[in-house]
Amino acid sequence: MTTLPPSATPPPAAAPRSGPRPAPWVRTRLRAAPLGTLLAAALAFVAVLLAAALPRAQDRGADQALRSFLERSGHTNTSLQVTAPAPVGGQSAEVLDGTLKSLLSHTGGTFRVDPETVVHGTRTTKRQPLLNPELSRPSGFPPAMSLLYVQEAPAHVKLVEGRWPSDTRPPGGGPEGAAAYDPPLQVALSQRAAETLGARLGSVLRSTPLVNGTPSVEVVGLYAVPDPSEDFWVGLDCLPRACEHYNGENLVWHVDALIGAGDLGRMDVWGDTAEDFWRLPVDVGSLRADRLDATAKEIASYVAGPTAASLTRETARMRLRTTSWLPELFKQAHDRRQAAAPLALIGPAGVGGVAFVVLCLAGALAGDRRDAELRLLLARGGSRAGIVGRLLGEGAVTVLPAAAAATALAVLLLPTPRLAPALLSAAVVAVLALLAFPVRAAVLLTPARPAGRWRRPVAELLVLVATAAAVLEVRRRGVAPAGSDPDPLLIAAPLLLALCGGLLLARLQPVVTGWLARAAGRRSGLVGFLGLARAARGTGAGGRQSRGRGGPSVLPMVALLLAITTGGFGAAVLDSVDANRLGVARLAVGGDAAITAFGKASLPAGLAKAAGELPGVRTSVPLWIDHDSSILGMTLRSSQTSVIVAEPAAYAELSRVLGCGSFDPALLAAGGSQPADAPVPALFSAGLARLAGPGTFTVRPGNGGEVKAQVVGVIDCTPARPARDAATVVLPAGPATALIGADQPNQWLALGSVDGDRLRELVRAALPPASSAQASSPSPPPSPAVAAGQDPAAPAQTADDVYPVRTSAEAVAELGADPLQRSAERLFWASVAGAAGFALLAVLLTLMRTVPERAALLARLRTMGLRRRQGVALILAETLPQTLAATLGGALVAGAAVALLGPAMDLSTLVGASVPTGVRLTAGPVLTQALGLAALVAAAVLVEAATSGRRQITTELRAGDQR
């Protein structure tokens, strides 16, 4: 125990703290305005949710489009095809498996191969003729056979007779000398191939004799293939069945047979040389669009690079070769993605711009609401940095949890491997939402400086110059080259145009509204004049015009213009895509619906008339077309011209609607009334007309007969054969053309909304009974094999095969089935909806900023006899001019964006076919976006005025004017 010296005095004890402890700042402020806190958290949640969701939606759409494109490319094109000569020292299944193990060990990075889908084995490189006299020889040529050892084959076939070839080496089968040919190699043959060849179980099939023996195989087993369309059989076409091979016009059967592992060392006696092969199907379901460049480099290294060299050393196979179409397919997929990027990025850019405006308005609203409090804190000794820091603490408690929850929800709802873009985008938006109010407060607490009248004009001039430069650059050089990164100018230019439109309207709208207010002041009513006058003056929150806040706020108008411009521009793009897609589909079909007879046959009697009477058919065009016609009197080879015979008026209408070879039907009208021996008026294609020149020519169809034709016009294309360079002749239906058999149509085209299923039912009903249909079937002559009864498994022709039906609606659906197109469209419309919601919120926030002053004004006017309905009308007269101006301005800016930037956009990828570059300007899509958003905003303003105005007026009347 320590004792104090007598001279020392103990230190004075700390005096107890009296009075209540100060309440924490953040908790107090959040409790003081719970509704504002919840609204700020909700705004941050929605903004961050969209910011995090859009990149993940883009990634998901890009991955789905890549995988769908690769799957449509085929199993062979998405595989690594590895080959090597069979080892000289002897082949075995263990050697093949060892090489496969080395090949698989270099996968699994950015791409992987499922070992269960690998196909590997050995095959002979030359087919040997089978000289057995009992085998089928349709054209007198013997069938040819090659041998394969496929290790995975037993799992994909079903043994129906006999046994599998032995996996043990037969006694006496040496690798060299005569003993190598004896005993015969054991093979398993497809049951269908055996029936086609005429072979059976136990047959010994012999090839061409050699000096030291005769190669032969013994069929020890027959198998059936349950599913010939399985990916396993790609590239092994002659294993499930016999293949037709034509040597000129002579048919030769090609077959493949499976051997066992016991005969691997003797395969070269059959075809002189043998080749090992490994097919490694790349798992396209695991590929990612964001790692496509890295995957392409890894695949290229596997094909010809460091990986290929390493495999050569590991396997000790100096001639190991790998080929693949994947590098080319990756390049095509990259080009397709970049071609669709402008539409996929314009929408998110628009919603991002509108969201930024809304966050600024929310910060301004919070700053105006707490302006007196902040100035009081500053007057009582608080520093600007301290006040802003406390406001940052408030925002962190409100914004950061909402942002974290929104990010987690986006990650959960849209699973995708890549996380960084979503986190970065969410972090940026969260920071903007966090800083909006503190930055506004810092500006409000800054000492007033002398007004600089030149600042706003200079800023507006800079925006105008930047916009003009972007538009001119896009117009000068066009869209970025195919395959390059998305063009930032093409994406930013619509936003800059909208910003310029907003700044211009902010200058013009007060002037025009002031004119309208003066005009309304000359009339007896007061509501219109007062509302328009307030709209022209643009009072701010609390009427604080002393700090230079004259005129309407620019931000809500910019938000509306951004939403309308991006929505209208994107809608115009999609409208052009739909129009081009319909045009391509109509040209491919020949109209909106088509029925075509197979070969040289005609349509059943009455079918064209019945089809023309179906609901939805506007124009029915039965026609006769022959593709093997020739023209006498000019230097043109026979069977090079297509002759089309149709009724002139209907065919002219079809050509006009399709925009393909429009002509005046009066040019061909004389053909129906002239005698049979008079020249028939004819329309020649442009290339054919240059070769023929003016005059009369003899048209001779391929089925016999002839007709004289006189050139009366030139067409660049025609719906029945829309190729621009096709040699075509269009003749009118009449007595003269009936002499060549053109009185019975073999094709029917139509315009209108035709139901394809109903049209097919009509075709089936028009077919004759099965017994007579087979006799009169317009099928082509049977092949020698079928005539000989060698392939009984050939499928019978159906009604859809004999008279195929096509519609433009089905063709449009096929063109639009690409996931890349659907993903870009879905992302755009989702962005448009988000931009519209934020624009509506911007208008509502603007209304909230003027709530105190408007409530005070309405309370005063209420004491003077203003009715509640008149109060609502006053609010509408004050707020709707800005909305209507933004609607009109947004429509004009969107139209200008389409006119200025549309010619630089290539829509071929979105259409699904090659189309001319450019976006056409139509009023429908732009006005739909503008008027739809204007109606939404007007309805929201009306609801807000009707519901909140009465409560605010009552509160003011009770409390009195405290301002």
Side-chain angles (χ1 to χ4, degrees):
M1 181 175 179
T2 304
T3 58
L4 296 175
S7 60
T9 59
R17 182 177 298 177
S18 61
R21 298 179 61 184
W25 170 275
V26 174
R27 185 183 67 185
T28 303
R29 291 308 310 158
L30 295 182
R31 286 182 176 180
L35 181 60
T37 301
L38 291 178
L39 291 179
L43 177 60
F45 180 86
V46 173
V48 174
L49 179 64
L50 285 177
L54 285 176
R56 298 183 70 79
Q58 287 178 328
D59 283 350
R60 287 170 58 87
D63 291 343
Q64 183 182 4
L66 171 65
R67 294 161 187 171
S68 175
F69 172 71
L70 294 178
E71 288 173 356
R72 293 197 310 270
S73 300
H75 195 70
T76 301
N77 293 337
T78 57
S79 299
L80 297 171
Q81 306 285 349
V82 186
T83 60
V88 179
Q91 179 64 288
S92 66
E94 291 75 13
V95 173
L96 290 172
D97 292 342
T99 304
L100 175 62
K101 184 178 181 180
S102 297
L103 294 174
L104 293 177
S105 66
H106 289 267
T107 63
T110 58
F111 76 95
R112 69 182 187 89
V113 174
D114 186 2
E116 299 297 327
T117 62
V118 172
V119 179
H120 74 294
T122 305
R123 59 190 167 210
T124 56
T125 57
K126 294 181 181 179
R127 296 185 185 273
Q128 297 299 318
L130 301 177
L131 302 183
N132 298 57
E134 70 272 13
L135 299 182
S136 173
R137 301 186 181 192
S139 301
F141 290 87
M145 175 183 284
S146 64
L147 304 182
L148 287 89
Y149 169 77
V150 183
Q151 187 154 329
E152 298 80 12
H156 297 270
V157 300
K158 179 182 180 182
L159 187 66
V160 295
E161 191 175 355
R163 60 178 177 83
W164 284 109
S166 176
D167 287 338
T168 59
R169 183 174 179 178
E176 297 179 358
Y181 299 94
D182 189 27
L185 285 78
Q186 298 179 5
V187 300
L189 195 62
S190 166
Q191 190 177 37
R192 287 185 58 185
E195 292 174 355
T196 302
L197 292 182
R200 60 182 182 273
L201 186 68
S203 297
V204 178
L205 308 179
R206 301 185 181 277
S207 183
T208 306
L210 301 176
V211 176
N212 52 355
T214 300
S216 61
V217 296
E218 179 184 1
V219 181
V220 298
L222 298 177
Y223 62 85
V225 178
D227 184 10
S229 62
E230 190 180 2
D231 290 338
F232 174 82
W233 300 106
V234 175
L236 305 174
D237 303 326
C238 299
L239 277 177
R241 58 179 177 81
C243 299
E244 294 182 355
H245 176 74
Y246 286 92
N247 185 9
E249 296 183 356
N250 300 314
L251 172 64
V252 180
W253 290 117
H254 280 184
V255 294
D256 292 339
L258 292 172
I259 69 168
D263 285 329
L264 271 175
R266 298 197 301 154
M267 284 187 68
D268 55 353
V269 304
W270 182 258
D272 292 336
T273 57
E275 180 185 66
D276 297 340
F277 66 91
W278 299 265
R279 189 178 74 206
L280 312 178
V282 174
D283 183 11
V284 298
S286 64
L287 297 180
R288 291 165 47 183
D290 62 289
R291 303 175 64 182
L292 194 59
D293 292 340
T295 306
K297 292 179 180 178
E298 192 169 345
I299 293 288
S301 175
Y302 205 103
V303 172
T307 304
S310 177
L311 285 172
T312 301
R313 292 191 301 268
E314 291 179 12
T315 60
R317 292 175 179 258
M318 297 289 77
R319 297 173 61 186
L320 188 72
R321 296 291 181 267
T322 304
T323 59
S324 178
W325 286 100
L326 281 173
E328 289 77 8
L329 293 177
F330 288 165
K331 186 177 184 305
Q332 295 176 23
H334 180 267
D335 293 348
R336 284 162 40 84
R337 181 187 177 190
Q338 300 303 77
L343 179 64
L345 293 178
I346 285 175
V351 71
V354 181
F356 176 75
V357 172
V358 170
L359 291 177
C360 293
L361 279 173
L365 175 63
D368 293 340
R369 180 171 57 87
R370 297 178 59 179
D371 181 57
E373 172 196 344
L374 298 178
R375 294 186 179 280
L376 179 62
L377 291 173
L378 187 65
R380 290 186 173 183
S383 65
R384 282 193 301 158
I387 296 174
V388 170
R390 290 180 178 272
L391 296 180
L392 281 174
E394 292 181 31
V397 173
T398 304
V399 171
L400 295 185
T407 305
L409 182 61
V411 172
L412 181 64
L413 294 179
L414 298 171
T416 186
R418 197 162 62 143
L419 191 61
L423 293 181
L424 179 61
S425 179
V428 170
V429 175
V431 169
L432 290 177
L434 180 62
L435 294 180
F437 177 33
V439 170
R440 175 63 178 172
V443 173
L444 290 176
L445 297 178
T446 302
R449 291 183 295 175
R453 296 177 177 266
W454 54 270
R455 295 173 186 168
R456 180 176 175 182
V458 169
E460 293 174 348
L461 182 61
L462 291 176
V463 173
L464 179 62
V465 170
T467 304
V471 172
L472 290 176
E473 182 65 15
V474 172
R475 295 277 296 181
R476 183 186 64 82
R477 62 172 173 77
V479 73
S484 60
D485 292 333
D487 193 342
L489 289 179
L490 190 61
I491 298 169
L495 306 183
L496 291 175
L497 286 172
L499 181 58
C500 283
L503 296 177
L504 180 62
L505 281 181
R507 291 285 190 180
L508 296 179
Q509 189 249 329
V511 178
V512 176
T513 308
W515 293 344
L516 296 176
R518 287 191 291 271
R522 301 187 187 99
R523 308 185 65 177
S524 57
L526 177 66
V527 173
F529 165 73
L530 186 57
L532 292 175
R534 286 175 55 82
R537 189 172 70 250
T539 55
R544 295 180 57 251
Q545 297 184 18
S546 60
R547 294 179 63 84
R549 294 206 42 213
S553 176
V554 180
L555 290 180
M557 191 171 294
V558 170
L560 288 172
L561 277 169
L562 282 173
I564 294 175
T565 301
T566 54
F569 183 78
V573 172
L574 292 179
D575 182 73
S576 296
V577 168
D578 293 339
N580 285 326
R581 194 177 286 165
L582 179 59
V584 171
R586 280 179 161 178
L587 286 179
V589 173
D592 287 324
I595 306 175
T596 305
F598 189 86
K600 298 289 185 179
S602 301
L603 296 177
L607 176 60
K609 181 179 179 182
E613 295 174 353
L614 287 176
V617 176
R618 297 196 313 268
T619 304
S620 176
V621 189
L623 54 88
W624 180 85
I625 183 170
D626 181 79
H627 296 289
D628 298 328
S629 301
S630 58
I631 300 178
L632 303 182
M634 56 181 294
T635 57
L636 186 70
R637 291 183 300 169
S638 178
S639 303
Q640 270 197 325
T641 305
S642 297
V643 174
I644 301 164
V645 179
E647 196 279 321
Y651 196 69
E653 173 67 11
L654 180 67
S655 302
R656 183 190 64 81
V657 173
L658 266 64
C660 180
S662 300
F663 65 92
D664 185 1
L667 295 174
L668 300 179
S673 59
Q674 291 183 348
D677 57 347
V680 177
L683 299 175
F684 276 38
S685 60
L688 193 60
R690 286 194 298 268
L691 294 175
T696 302
F697 302 91
T698 300
V699 178
R700 179 175 294 172
N703 60 350
E706 60 183 33
V707 63
K708 292 183 179 180
Q710 183 178 5
V711 182
V712 296
V714 178
I715 53 175
D716 55 352
C717 71
T718 190
R721 195 179 181 193
R724 297 282 174 178
D725 56 348
T728 55
V729 176
V730 179
L731 302 176
T737 53
L739 297 178
I740 59 175
D743 53 336
Q744 294 295 326
N746 56 15
Q747 193 172 15
W748 176 81
L749 305 177
L751 293 174
S753 55
V754 186
D755 186 359
D757 295 334
R758 190 167 184 177
L759 191 59
R760 290 184 179 89
E761 292 178 0
L762 183 65
V763 170
R764 296 188 189 99
L767 287 178
S771 58
S772 60
Q774 187 174 2
S776 61
S777 174
S779 59
S783 65
V786 176
Q790 301 297 335
D791 195 2
Q797 286 184 318
T798 63
D800 294 338
D801 297 329
V802 179
Y803 299 109
V805 173
R806 298 184 66 194
T807 64
S808 61
E810 295 169 349
V812 166
E814 292 175 3
L815 290 173
D818 190 350
L820 181 66
Q821 305 166 3
R822 297 199 303 268
S823 173
E825 293 177 8
R826 286 197 303 265
L827 186 62
F828 168 76
W829 287 119
S831 301
V832 167
F838 277 118
L840 176 62
L841 185 58
V843 175
L844 295 179
L845 287 175
T846 305
L847 289 177
M848 293 177 65
R849 294 186 68 186
T850 59
V851 163
E853 181 186 1
R854 186 171 65 244
L857 174 65
L858 292 177
R860 297 188 189 103
L861 294 177
R862 188 68 177 271
T863 60
M864 301 177 187
L866 185 74
R867 294 189 297 272
R868 188 166 67 90
R869 181 175 300 176
Q870 291 176 318
V872 174
L874 177 62
I875 297 175
L876 293 178
E878 178 185 349
T879 57
L880 288 186
Q882 191 178 42
T883 301
L884 296 178
T887 301
L888 178 61
L892 294 177
V893 173
V898 174
L900 294 174
L901 305 175
M905 294 196 66
D906 185 5
L907 304 179
S908 297
T909 299
L910 295 175
V911 172
S914 179
V915 295
T917 301
V919 178
R920 67 173 189 171
L921 176 59
T922 52
V926 176
L927 290 180
T928 300
Q929 297 293 314
L931 296 179
L933 185 56
L936 182 64
V937 171
V941 170
L942 179 62
V943 171
E944 195 276 340
T947 56
S948 63
R950 183 176 182 179
R951 176 176 53 82
Q952 295 163 359
I953 294 173
T954 303
T955 302
E956 288 290 334
L957 289 176
R958 288 177 178 176
D961 188 5
Q962 301 297 329
R963 296 163 181 82

